[in-house]
């Protein structure tokens, strides 16, 4: 095909994308060829024989070369074709070659969602049996599907029925052969090479490697550029030979070439080929020349400007003392009332700060302010990227307009000297200081405040408390939509999706604009796809790599590369960086400061409230967090949060810095096992961390996250009805499945999870699976029974309860006896499981129809539970006992006692602050029915109010 391009287009200088693949392939062949020559390896390299590259030596290696801008997965046609072709080569050569390898080599990388190929590439020897099995099955699956694809293509041709029958028969035989053949040797001999760089970078990289090799003394100091062209031409010439055996590249060929003079070598260069395949270098050179021309023009313009400025009379001060951003060609939407409010305050206060997170539109607001209020005599706009004093001191235009010159000794006080000159300017003047990323120096701000003849508008990410400050309001939905649609009109988007997206990004004006432009410039990207990728934290997805243009940026940018630069965190110290990484994993809004102090442990509260308070104050000054009006809560802007998480994922050990926070949070939730209301405040933080750290980035913190998820799901049982038809059981299954892969088979934590999964199955009335997992937990704990007495008893009691639900009194009582034997064996007659055992006996008598005996036993159980230390008992169980007692009295038609005990059950849950528990709502519903039955109107109305209040809280 390369020959066809050369002949047809006669060096097509616009064919970079078309030729790049050939160039990369030829460069790869050239590198292998000359590397073998330098290292004296007796390997014959073939081009365009059986595959892109065939190497014959001690090993037989077939290499498929791909130069792509997109990523690969097992769904990629190129990979599936390569595997099938490799298999055919394996069948052809395997009997005569023991050492045979198949290499798929590419510049790009594996697609994020491709798990098997990622693991295979990282573990090429496939020592993990589970991984090997997955790879083995995947290769077989691909081979079978490729046979079917090729069969279907052949059948679509105009052929006879006899030919169709032969094709079908041959393909079925081929499939059976694949299905019945052990392909282990084939699978283990596949090599994956993913270089994780762009096509352009890959070509530059391999060129550098080749130039380094050509500099070796073995090439007799021949000019490397000459050799490069000669050897590349030789590869092309060899590849065109009809006889495949003549397409070989050997060490002897290079030796013959090196014996020729430079003039002789120049004659054998294929000029069309080298010019065609080196276009990108020529383009780079042209770009450099253009840059140099542009720089020359800019230099001339600057000289003209300097001359123009110096010609001003010393007494002439222009209206615009600095360069002012373009305010006339753009329309800034929103903030109409706010702009008047700021103008009124500037007249009185003289200095006003507008603060908001990056990208919310502070600069756009200031442009609109300038366009709205034009009655200023003089205007200055200072962009601050390092420090305020630096921005003033190195603004050449300002210096020229002020008509002042400085000597070397002035450098220390240059900022003050400039402010002094500005202060001499009379009139109604405006200074805008647009602080981009820097930490604010209050000393510098106080110096700016001393300029008396100027109104000062400070734009910053930080809330400056020393001066009058206002947070920039977020724009309305209508204006946000107008910004989006003015930059993207390729698809009709319903208001519901737009509103959800705008809320998610907190109406960040910059992100709205960048999103719209990215979608508009893409081929098939939609807002729905974009939104889903953002929520899944796939900020480096290939769909985002769309070139777009942004005002005041030189050249094109890509959305998340730009945002990463925009929201850099270079000013943070290690302590701040570690803590913001932790905070970013928590919910983006309503993070209670007291909660995050308590997570570190109540014993360290006084110490941590100072340390953590100081860190949060510092982060607020740098514009990364925002206090609520009561200063009891903090928020992190959603985009800042996403960028921080993205950066954390790129670290060598992602999220390892926050491992202790995970452990501490787990401990706080676990402390709530006997006092559930103590842990409810922490559940939302655990859920957020688990949602924020995706599976593929958990390696460094995997086990702590398993423990956190276990405690979280277990705590939910006190607040959420985990009965039939909920997702709770699915989450437990998922957790246990992952824990089995990462915890030892005898790990007691795994046993705890087995028990909790069994409880979930029991709540879903899947008693068979419940017993299976209870027994799995029991096997682990039984190995150290004396250490885990309470847990062994708990599991046996759990199984007893299942038997009772199935009306199986015999098995329930047998297990009850086992529990009593264990208690006697270890002289262990303590813990709230004793109350559970009274409940088991009560249930047994209830099944037998002896309600009086059941009531008596349950009352004994309640008495025993109340005798336990308050801190070592969970009164959630006490409420359940009262609820069960109420039911027993109903069975006896004693409505009065049923009401009394149901009221006790409700009061117990209310006393332990489980006011948001689904179980409390159920009890309200039961007692309401009892009140209605008895006609107790006042109490009926009281409970209805509680139910309505409960539902309002939930909504």
């Amino acid at each position: 095909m390369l020959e066809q391009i050369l002949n047809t287009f006669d060096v097509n200088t616009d064919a970079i994308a078309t030729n790049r693949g050939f160039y990369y392939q030829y460069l790869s062949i050239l590198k292998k060829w000359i590397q073998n020559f330098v290292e004296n390896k007796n390997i014959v390299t073939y081009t365009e024989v059986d595959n892109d590259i065939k190497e014959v030596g001690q090993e037989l290696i077939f290499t498929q070369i791909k130069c792509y801008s997109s990523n690969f997965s097992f769904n990629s046609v190129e990979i599936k074709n390569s595997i099938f072709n490799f298999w055919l080569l394996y069948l052809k050569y395997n009997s005569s070659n023991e050492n045979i390898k198949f290499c798929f080599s590419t510049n790009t990388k594996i697609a994020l969602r491709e798990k098997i190929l990622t693991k295979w590439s990282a573990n090429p020897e496939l020592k993990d049996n589970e991984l090997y099995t997955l790879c083995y099955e995947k290769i077989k699956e691909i081979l079978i599907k490729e046979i079917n694809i090729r069969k279907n293509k052949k059948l679509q041709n105009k052929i006879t029925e006899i030919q169709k029958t032969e094709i079908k028969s041959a393909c079925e035989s081929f499939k059976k052969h694949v299905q019945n053949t052990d392909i282990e040797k084939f699978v283990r001999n596949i090599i994956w090479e993913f270089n994780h760089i762009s096509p352009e970078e890959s070509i530059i990289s391999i060129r550098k490697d080749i130039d380094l090799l050509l500099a070796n003394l073995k090439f007799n100091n021949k000019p490397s550029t000459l050799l490069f062209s000669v050897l590349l031409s030789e590869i092309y010439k060899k590849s065109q030979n009809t006889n495949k055996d003549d397409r070989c590249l050997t060490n002897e060929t290079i030796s013959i070439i090196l014996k020729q003079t430079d003039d002789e070598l120049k004659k054998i260069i294929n000029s069309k080929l080298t010019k065609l395949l080196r276009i990108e270098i020529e383009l780079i050179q042209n770009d450099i020349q253009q840059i140099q021309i542009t720089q020359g023009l800019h230099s001339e313009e600057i000289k003209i400007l300097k001359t123009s400025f110096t010609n001003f009379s010393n007494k002439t001060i222009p209206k615009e003392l600095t360069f002012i951003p373009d305010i006339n060609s753009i329309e800034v939407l929103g903030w109409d009332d706010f702009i008047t409010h700021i103008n009124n305050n500037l007249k009185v206060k003289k200095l006003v700060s507008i603060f908001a997170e990056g990208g919310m539109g502070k600069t756009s607001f200031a442009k609109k302010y300038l366009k709205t209020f034009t009655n200023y005599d003089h205007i200055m706009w200072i962009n601050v990227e390092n420090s305020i004093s630096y921005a003033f001191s190195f603004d050449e235009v300002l210096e020229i307009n002020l008509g002042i010159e400085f000597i070397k000794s002035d450098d220390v006080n240059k900022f003050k000297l400039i402010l002094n000159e500005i202060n001499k300017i009379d009139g109604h003047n405006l200074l805008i200081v647009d602080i981009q990323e820097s930490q604010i120096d209050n000393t510098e701000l106080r110096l700016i405040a001393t300029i008396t003849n100027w109104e000062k508008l400070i734009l910053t990410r930080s809330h400056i408390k020393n001066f009058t400050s206002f947070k920039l309001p977020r724009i309305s939905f209508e204006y946000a939509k107008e910004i989006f649609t003015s930059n993207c009109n390729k698809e009709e988007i319903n208001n519901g999706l737009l509103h959800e997206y705008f809320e998610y990004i907190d109406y960040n004006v910059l992100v709205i604009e960048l999103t719209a432009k990215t979608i508009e410039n893409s081929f098939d990207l939609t807002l729905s796809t974009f939104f889903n990728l953002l929520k899944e934290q796939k900020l480096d997805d290939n769909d985002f790599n769309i070139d777009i243009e942004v005002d005041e940026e030189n050249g094109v940018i890509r959305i998340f590369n730009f945002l990463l630069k925009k929201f850099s965190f270079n000013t943070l110290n290690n302590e701040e960086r570690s803590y913001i990484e932790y905070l970013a994993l928590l919910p983006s809004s309503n993070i209670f400061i007291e909660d995050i102090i308590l997570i570190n442990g109540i014993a360290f509260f006084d110490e941590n409230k100072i340390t953590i308070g100081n860190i949060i104050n510092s982060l607020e000054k740098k514009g990364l967090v925002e206090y609520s009006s009561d200063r009891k809560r903090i928020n992190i802007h959603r985009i800042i949060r996403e960028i921080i998480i993205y950066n954390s994922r790129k670290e060598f050990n992602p999220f390892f810095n926050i491992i202790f926070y995970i452990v501490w949070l787990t401990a706080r939730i676990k402390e709530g096992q006997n006092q559930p209301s103590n842990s409810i405040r922490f559940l939302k933080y655990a859920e957020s961390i688990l949602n924020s750290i995706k599976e593929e980035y958990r390696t460094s913190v995997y086990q702590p996250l398993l423990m956190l998820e276990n405690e979280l799901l277990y705590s939910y049982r006190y607040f959420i009805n985990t009965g039939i038809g909920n997702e709770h059981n699915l989450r437990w299954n998922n957790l246990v499945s992952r824990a089995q892969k990462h915890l030892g088979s005898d790990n007691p934590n795994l046993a705890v999870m087995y028990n909790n999964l069994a409880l979930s199955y029991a709540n879903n009335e899947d008693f068979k699976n419940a017993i299976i997992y209870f027994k799995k937990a029991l096997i682990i704990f039984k190995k150290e029974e004396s250490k885990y007495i309470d847990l062994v008893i708990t599991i046996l009691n759990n199984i007893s309860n299942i038997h009772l639900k199935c009306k199986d009194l015999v098995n329930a009582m047998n297990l009850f006896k086992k529990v009593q034997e264990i208690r006697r064996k270890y002289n262990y007659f303590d813990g709230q499981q004793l109350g559970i055992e009274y409940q088991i006996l009560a249930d047994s008598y209830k099944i037998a129809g002896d309600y009086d005996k059941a009531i008596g036993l349950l009352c004994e159980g309640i008495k025993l539970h109340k005798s336990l230390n308050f801190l070592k008992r969970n009164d959630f169980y006490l409420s359940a006992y009262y609820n069960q007692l109420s039911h027993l009295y109903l069975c006896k038609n004693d409505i009065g006692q049923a009401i009394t005990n149901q009221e006790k059950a409700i009061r117990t849950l209310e006393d332990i602050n489980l006011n948001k528990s689904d179980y409390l709502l159920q009890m309200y519903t039961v007692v309401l029915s009892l009140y209605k039955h008895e006609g107790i109107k006042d109490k009926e109305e009281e409970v209805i109010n509680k139910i309505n209040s409960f539902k309002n809280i939930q909504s």
Side-chain angles (χ1 to χ4, degrees):
M1 187 173 179
L2 182 57
E3 183 182 23
Q4 182 183 5
I5 292 173
L6 283 166
N7 293 334
T8 304
F9 294 100
D10 190 24
V11 186
N12 176 6
T13 56
D14 293 324
I16 297 172
T18 306
N19 306 331
R20 186 175 59 204
F22 293 111
Y23 192 25
Y24 185 68
Q25 178 183 328
Y26 276 35
L27 288 177
S28 300
I29 296 168
L30 177 56
K31 181 181 175 182
K32 286 178 180 291
W33 183 22
I34 61 178
Q35 195 161 19
N36 292 334
F37 177 79
V38 168
E39 296 174 2
N40 292 317
K41 290 183 179 178
N42 187 24
I43 296 174
V44 179
T45 305
Y46 288 83
T47 172
E48 305 293 355
V49 175
D50 290 324
N51 226 297
D52 291 339
I53 305 175
K54 175 182 175 182
E55 294 172 87
V56 181
Q58 292 182 343
E59 291 182 321
L60 178 60
I61 304 174
F62 297 96
T63 302
Q64 179 70 51
I65 304 291
K66 294 292 180 186
C67 185
Y68 274 57
S69 57
S70 57
N71 301 334
F72 285 109
S73 72
F74 274 131
N75 290 324
S76 302
V77 173
E78 295 80 4
I79 281 191
K80 290 189 282 190
N81 281 337
S82 295
I83 288 173
F84 188 78
N85 292 334
F86 284 162
W87 173 244
L88 295 179
L89 291 169
Y90 178 78
L91 295 177
K92 181 178 178 180
Y93 292 101
N94 182 49
S95 59
S96 58
N97 291 272
E98 289 186 2
N99 297 320
I100 181 169
K101 303 287 184 185
F102 306 93
C103 177
F104 182 91
S105 178
T106 179
N107 62 289
T108 187
K109 59 184 177 181
I110 302 169
L112 279 177
R113 297 178 184 176
E114 178 51 72
K115 307 302 181 189
I116 298 177
L117 186 53
T118 299
K119 292 179 180 178
W120 190 350
S121 178
N123 303 275
E125 295 179 2
L126 293 176
K127 291 182 179 179
D128 184 317
N129 289 331
E130 183 177 351
L131 175 60
Y132 163 73
T133 302
L134 289 172
C135 298
Y136 184 97
E137 294 300 327
K138 175 56 72 172
I139 295 299
K140 275 210 168 185
E141 174 189 334
I142 290 172
L143 292 174
I144 298 296
K145 287 183 177 178
E146 287 301 300
I147 293 170
N148 287 331
I149 290 169
R150 283 158 173 76
K151 177 188 74 175
N152 293 335
K153 285 183 178 179
K154 288 181 178 294
L155 292 176
Q156 290 172 6
N157 297 330
K158 291 182 179 180
I159 55 177
T160 65
E161 289 300 318
I162 294 174
Q163 289 173 319
K164 288 183 179 179
T165 302
E166 289 174 350
I167 290 170
K168 290 178 182 177
S169 176
C171 288
E172 287 304 312
S173 298
F174 199 0
K175 282 198 290 186
K176 287 180 182 178
H177 175 74
V178 172
Q179 289 166 339
N180 299 328
T181 301
D182 183 0
I183 64 170
E184 178 178 357
K185 184 178 177 182
F186 172 65
V187 172
R188 292 191 181 278
N189 284 343
I190 298 175
I191 303 166
W192 304 102
E193 289 182 0
F194 294 91
N195 292 316
H196 299 84
I197 54 178
S198 69
E200 294 76 16
E201 290 172 325
S202 67
I203 287 172
I204 292 170
S205 175
I206 200 168
R207 273 301 313 267
K208 287 181 179 177
D209 293 342
I210 290 169
D211 288 341
L212 187 63
L213 287 166
L214 291 174
N216 190 281
L217 294 176
K218 293 196 70 173
F219 290 100
N220 302 334
N221 293 319
K222 293 272 187 189
S224 61
T225 52
L226 175 62
L227 278 178
F228 175 81
S229 298
V230 169
L231 294 174
L232 206 61
S233 299
E234 186 68 18
I235 292 171
Y236 171 67
K237 184 178 74 173
K238 292 281 188 181
S239 68
Q240 304 306 311
N241 288 329
T242 305
N243 188 339
K244 292 184 178 180
D245 293 336
D246 293 333
R247 298 178 194 167
C248 62
L249 304 164
T250 64
N251 292 347
E252 184 181 0
T253 305
I254 296 178
S255 297
I256 292 171
I257 288 172
L258 293 176
K259 291 177 182 177
Q260 300 181 60
T261 65
D262 289 359
D263 290 335
E264 290 172 334
L265 290 178
K266 288 175 184 177
K267 293 177 182 179
I268 62 175
I269 293 174
N270 187 321
S271 59
K272 286 185 178 181
L273 174 77
T274 54
K275 188 175 182 182
L276 177 73
L277 295 185
R278 298 184 68 192
I279 288 174
E280 73 287 348
I281 297 176
E282 294 174 4
L283 287 177
I284 291 170
Q285 291 170 343
N286 288 337
D287 287 343
I288 292 171
Q289 289 174 357
Q290 289 300 317
I291 291 169
Q292 289 171 341
I293 292 169
T294 303
Q295 285 177 333
L297 291 172
H298 285 173
S299 296
E300 290 300 318
E301 289 172 357
I302 290 170
K303 287 179 182 178
I304 293 169
L305 284 172
K306 285 184 176 180
T307 303
S308 175
F309 286 135
T310 51
N311 286 338
F312 274 112
S313 168
N314 289 335
K315 297 180 180 179
T316 302
I317 303 294
K319 179 175 181 177
E320 297 177 359
L321 276 80
T322 61
F323 282 125
I324 305 298
D326 176 26
I327 63 173
N328 295 313
S329 64
I330 60 170
E331 181 184 5
V332 179
L333 302 171
W335 301 305
D336 294 325
D337 294 334
F338 185 66
I339 216 163
T340 303
H341 176 66
I342 294 301
N343 180 250
N344 292 335
N345 273 275
L346 270 174
K347 290 175 182 176
V348 178
K349 304 290 186 180
K350 297 299 182 183
L351 188 151
V352 171
S353 166
I354 307 294
F355 69 95
E357 299 86 354
M360 294 302 288
K362 299 182 294 294
T363 301
S364 296
F365 170 80
K367 289 180 181 180
K368 181 165 186 171
Y369 185 92
L370 274 182
K371 194 173 181 179
T372 305
F373 301 102
T374 60
N375 59 336
Y376 288 101
D377 298 315
H378 302 287
I379 302 170
M380 288 174 54
W381 186 302
I382 301 292
N383 285 310
V384 179
E385 294 184 355
N386 296 297
S387 70
I388 295 173
S389 58
Y390 183 93
F392 274 86
S393 301
F394 291 90
D395 192 317
E396 290 185 11
V397 176
L398 174 62
E399 191 174 320
I400 292 169
N401 278 330
L402 290 174
I404 53 177
E405 295 183 3
F406 294 97
I407 59 176
K408 187 68 178 176
S409 59
D410 291 331
D411 284 353
V412 176
N413 296 312
K414 193 173 181 180
F415 175 48
K416 293 180 180 179
L417 293 171
I418 289 173
L419 291 182
N420 184 55
E421 290 299 318
I422 293 170
N423 204 25
K424 296 176 182 177
I425 301 172
D426 293 326
H428 180 215
N429 308 321
L430 176 67
L431 166 62
I432 297 174
V433 181
D434 190 357
I435 302 172
Q436 300 294 322
E437 302 173 6
S438 62
Q439 185 176 357
I440 294 173
D441 187 329
N442 284 328
T443 303
E444 294 177 338
L445 277 179
R446 282 193 288 271
L447 286 172
I448 288 176
T450 61
I451 307 173
T452 54
N453 291 334
W454 293 73
E455 292 174 5
K456 284 81 64 179
L457 184 62
I458 312 297
L459 310 175
T460 175
R461 296 180 184 180
S462 306
H463 183 188
I464 307 170
K465 302 177 183 64
N466 303 21
F467 303 102
T468 303
S469 296
F470 299 98
K471 183 168 186 182
L472 182 70
R474 73 181 193 181
I475 60 174
S476 67
F477 172 78
E478 288 73 20
Y479 286 137
K481 181 179 179 180
E482 192 170 339
I483 291 171
F484 188 93
T485 54
S486 66
N487 289 288
C488 176
N489 54 18
K490 68 184 293 184
E491 64 167 324
E492 287 290 331
I493 304 173
N494 65 65
N495 285 349
L497 178 59
L498 279 174
H499 186 271
E500 185 183 358
Y501 180 65
F502 294 158
E503 286 289 338
Y504 187 85
I505 62 171
D506 198 20
Y507 283 79
N508 190 292
V509 175
L510 175 63
V511 176
I512 292 171
E513 178 191 344
L514 296 179
T515 301
K517 288 182 175 179
T518 300
I519 294 171
E520 178 70 15
N521 286 9
S522 72
F523 173 68
D524 59 357
L525 185 63
T526 65
L527 179 59
S528 179
T529 303
F530 187 103
F531 193 9
N532 287 332
L533 290 171
L534 179 60
K535 287 188 287 189
E536 292 169 9
Q537 297 178 359
K538 297 182 178 178
L539 305 190
D540 50 4
D541 191 273
N542 193 51
D543 280 343
F544 291 144
N545 291 331
I546 307 297
D547 292 338
I548 59 177
E549 293 183 355
V550 179
D551 291 341
E552 299 175 11
E553 284 293 318
N554 295 322
V556 297
I557 59 102
R558 291 178 178 177
I559 178 168
F560 282 108
N561 290 337
F562 182 71
L563 290 176
L564 285 169
K565 177 183 175 183
K566 191 81 174 176
F567 296 100
S568 65
F569 309 107
N570 298 326
T571 60
L572 300 182
N573 60 41
N574 289 336
E575 188 176 44
E576 291 166 344
R577 189 179 295 274
S578 175
Y579 206 71
I580 194 65
E581 182 179 331
Y582 163 55
L583 291 178
L585 297 173
L586 306 184
S588 60
S589 60
N590 286 325
I591 302 172
F592 283 85
I593 297 171
E594 184 180 52
D595 290 349
I596 57 177
I597 296 172
L598 283 172
I599 285 172
N600 291 24
I602 194 168
F604 307 98
F605 186 88
D606 289 339
E607 175 185 346
N608 283 319
K609 73 179 180 182
I610 303 300
T611 303
I612 293 174
N614 287 336
I615 293 174
I616 293 173
N617 287 337
S618 180
L619 292 174
E620 188 215 15
K621 289 177 182 177
K622 295 176 180 179
L624 295 177
V625 301
E626 178 192 9
Y627 277 106
S628 61
S629 57
D630 59 8
R631 295 189 66 79
K632 292 183 179 180
R633 291 162 289 132
I634 55 173
N635 303 325
I636 303 177
H637 189 278
R638 175 81 70 170
I639 294 301
I640 293 176
R641 180 178 183 270
E642 295 296 336
I643 296 296
I644 292 170
I645 293 174
Y646 177 84
N647 280 330
S648 299
R649 283 167 33 192
K650 296 296 182 183
E651 293 175 359
F652 179 70
N653 287 313
F655 305 106
F656 185 75
N657 290 338
I658 55 99
I659 191 169
F660 289 111
Y661 296 111
I662 297 173
V663 173
W664 294 332
L665 179 56
T666 304
R668 300 296 82 76
I669 296 175
K670 192 171 185 178
E671 287 170 356
Q673 286 188 0
N674 284 333
Q675 305 294 324
S677 61
N678 291 347
S679 65
I680 189 171
R681 69 197 301 173
F682 301 118
L683 302 188
K684 68 176 183 179
Y685 304 117
E687 192 72 74
S688 182
I689 288 174
L690 292 167
N691 288 333
S692 298
I693 305 179
K694 303 301 182 185
E695 181 73 13
E696 57 266 41
Y697 303 107
R698 293 185 173 189
T699 306
S700 302
V701 290
Y702 209 100
Q703 188 161 331
L705 285 177
L706 289 175
M707 301 301 104
L708 177 64
E709 190 170 356
N710 177 70
E711 294 304 330
L712 173 69
L713 295 181
Y714 187 80
S715 293
Y716 277 154
R717 69 193 298 266
Y718 298 120
F719 308 100
I720 303 169
N721 183 0
T722 57
I724 297 170
N726 71 91
E727 297 180 5
H728 204 66
N729 186 256
L730 294 175
R731 290 191 67 177
W732 273 120
N733 263 294
N734 185 273
L735 174 62
V736 169
S737 175
R738 286 180 281 117
Q740 286 173 327
K741 298 175 184 177
H742 290 86
L743 300 177
S745 58
D746 292 337
N747 193 304
N749 290 312
L750 180 60
V752 169
M753 293 178 197
Y754 282 149
N755 176 72
N756 293 338
L757 173 58
L759 287 172
S760 182
Y761 274 125
N763 285 331
N764 278 270
E765 297 185 4
D766 185 348
F767 300 132
K768 179 180 178 181
N769 273 317
I771 290 176
I772 288 172
Y773 280 96
F774 278 137
K775 287 183 176 178
K776 282 188 174 187
L778 203 56
I779 289 169
I780 296 173
F781 287 134
K782 275 280 191 178
K783 291 178 180 178
E784 293 185 83
E785 185 180 79
S786 60
K787 183 178 179 181
Y788 299 113
I789 301 171
D790 200 56
L791 289 169
V792 170
I793 290 172
T794 298
I795 294 171
L796 290 172
N797 286 339
N798 287 338
I799 299 174
S800 291
N801 274 315
I802 288 181
H803 289 314
L804 289 174
K805 286 181 180 179
C806 298
K807 311 296 185 196
D808 185 352
L809 285 174
V810 174
N811 279 319
M813 287 302 100
N814 286 338
L815 286 174
F816 182 83
K817 290 175 183 176
K818 281 187 180 180
V819 169
Q820 305 318 307
E821 289 172 4
I822 292 171
R823 289 193 180 279
R824 286 191 292 273
K825 178 180 177 181
Y826 295 103
N827 192 28
Y828 182 73
F829 296 96
D830 194 10
Q832 56 190 4
Q833 281 297 312
L834 285 168
I836 299 290
E837 286 154 34
Y838 274 100
Q839 184 192 34
I840 290 171
L841 288 174
D843 274 345
S844 302
Y845 279 99
K846 176 191 169 186
I847 293 169
D850 190 341
Y851 298 121
D852 290 331
K853 186 67 174 176
I855 288 170
L857 286 166
L858 200 51
C859 287
E860 285 297 315
I862 289 171
K863 183 179 178 181
L864 177 62
H865 182 90
K866 287 184 173 180
S867 70
L868 298 173
N869 185 309
F870 178 75
L871 296 176
K872 294 184 179 180
R873 75 186 200 216
N874 186 344
D875 280 354
F876 181 83
Y877 296 115
L878 178 61
S879 177
Y881 299 154
Y882 281 130
N883 183 62
Q884 189 175 357
L885 201 55
S886 174
H887 181 69
L888 286 170
Y889 278 114
L890 271 180
C891 293
K892 291 186 64 179
N893 291 318
D894 188 341
I895 306 299
Q897 282 296 328
I899 290 174
T900 299
N901 283 283
Q902 196 65 33
E903 288 174 339
K904 288 181 179 179
I906 289 170
R907 193 158 50 249
T908 302
L909 284 186
E910 290 176 339
D911 287 345
I912 60 175
N913 296 317
L914 290 187
N915 297 316
K916 296 180 182 178
S917 170
D918 285 349
Y919 298 102
L920 182 57
L921 180 59
Q922 291 175 3
M923 291 178 185
Y924 283 151
T925 305
V926 170
V927 82
L928 179 61
S929 298
L930 295 173
Y931 289 153
K932 286 181 177 179
H933 183 275
E934 293 297 288
I936 309 174
K937 294 294 183 183
D938 55 336
K939 289 190 175 182
E940 183 182 333
E941 186 177 339
E942 181 183 344
V943 172
I944 289 173
N945 289 335
K946 286 185 176 182
I947 289 173
N948 290 335
S949 175
F950 187 98
K951 290 180 177 178
N952 287 335
I953 291 172
Q954 282 197 327
S955 63

